[in-house]
Amino acid sequence: METNLYENAIETTKDSVEAVSKTLGFSLGSLSLGNLISALITLLICILAIRLVMRLARRIARRSRLSESLSNFMLKALKIVLEFIAILIVADSIGINVTSLLAVFSLLGLALSLSVQNCLSNLMSGITILLTKPFEDGDFIEAGVSGTVKDIGLIYTQIRTVDNKLIFVPNSELSASKVVNYSREPNRRVDLTFGADYACPIEDVKAALRTAVSRVEGVLPEPEPFVRVAEYAASNISYAVRVWCRNADYWNVYYDLLEAVAKAFDEAGVSMSYEHVNVHVLDTPAAAKKD
C-alpha cells in the first residue's frame, strides 16, 4: 500500500511539473522544465536511497569478521556502484540514451583497466590476502623479506624488518611467493648445532649440552629437548640441539642457549673445535738415506 502511495505521489508530481512547464512554455529540444524538475526529484530520492543502503552496509560490516581494510574497500566500491546507478537513473529521466552512455563508460573502463593492470593485479591480490588471511597485522613472516607485518593495504603490505626498516611489498608479489608465518603457531622450535673436538667423549658433550638447556629460562619441558650427534665432520663432531619455547620467547631462548652452552663446555672441559687441517710428516726411506 505504501508503494502505491509512493508511486501515486511521483505520478502526481510529474503531472504537476508538466503542467507548470507547459504554463511557463520552457523547453529545449526534448529537455523541458518538467524533465529537469523530475530529474531533480529522482536525484533526491536516489541520494536518500544511497544513504539508507550505505548505513545498512556499515552496520553489516561492523558485525562481520572482515578486516578493516577490506571492509572500507567494499563500502567504497558499493558507494561507487550505487552512485553510478543513480547517474544512469537520473540521465534516463532527463531523456539521455542510457545505452550509449553505458557503451562510453565500457570503453573508458577498458582503456583504464589496460593502463593500470599492475595496480589491478595488486588490488586483487590484496583482496585475496585479506580474505584468505595467510598472515595478519603483527605476524612475523618471511616472503622474500622477513619482518613484522605492520599494515595490509589493498595495493601494498607494509613490513617492518628487525633493523626497523619499513618495506612496502606489492601484494601481487606476496600472493605469488611462498610465505612463512612464524607467528601463527603458539610454540616454536629453536634449532642449534655445536661442534666439539673428537677427543671429547660423546656422552660428556651430550651431558654438558643438557646441562646448558636446563639453565635456560623459557625452554618448554614438552616436547622433550633433543640432544644428539648430528655429523662426524672433518674437524669436529657436530651435535644437534633442538628445544621448544613460546613464540614470543624465541630470540631470548636462542641467544641464552648459545651463552649457556659455552659456559657448560668450559665447566665440563669440552673444547669447541674449529676448522683445521692435520698435516702428518712421514719419514720415508729416501729421506733417511739423505740424512
Side-chain angles (χ1 to χ4, degrees), residues 9 19 29 32 37 40 46 49 61 97 105 109 135 164 185-186 194 199 213 220 228 252 255 271 283 285-286 288:
S32 64
I37 297 177
L40 181 60
C46 289
N97 190 345
F105 279 121
F135 52 83
N164 204 33
E185 299 297 330
F194 299 93
V213 170
L220 298 176
R228 298 293 295 272
N252 288 334
Y255 291 111
S271 59
D283 272 341

Side-chain angles (χ1 to χ4, degrees), residues 158-233:
Q158 300 179 34
I159 298 178
R160 189 179 298 280
T161 61
V162 292
D163 55 348
N164 204 33
K165 293 178 182 177
L166 190 60
I167 301 178
F168 292 79
V169 183
N171 287 330
S172 58
E173 294 184 9
L174 286 176
S175 62
S177 62
K178 180 178 68 175
V179 178
V180 181
N181 192 333
Y182 294 101
S183 302
R184 184 57 58 88
E185 299 297 330
N187 298 337
R188 186 176 173 186
R189 193 177 72 182
V190 179
D191 295 347
L192 289 173
T193 302
F194 299 93
D197 196 283
Y198 270 96
C200 301
I202 292 177
E203 292 303 323
D204 292 349
V205 177
K206 291 169 63 175
L209 290 172
R210 293 191 185 96
T211 300
V213 170
S214 65
R215 293 174 178 175
V216 176
E217 294 183 4
V219 175
L220 298 176
E222 293 293 336
E224 185 179 354
F226 177 89
V227 178
R228 298 293 295 272
V229 173
E231 181 187 8
Y232 293 97

Side-chain angles (χ1 to χ4, degrees), residues 13-52:
T13 303
K14 288 184 178 180
D15 293 339
S16 302
V17 170
E18 289 177 359
V20 172
S21 63
K22 288 180 181 179
T23 303
L24 296 176
F26 173 79
S27 66
L28 183 60
S30 60
L31 183 64
S32 64
L33 179 61
N35 289 340
L36 288 176
I37 297 177
S38 176
L40 181 60
I41 295 174
T42 304
L43 178 61
L44 292 175
I45 294 174
C46 289
I47 292 174
L48 292 175
I50 290 174
R51 289 183 178 179
L52 180 62

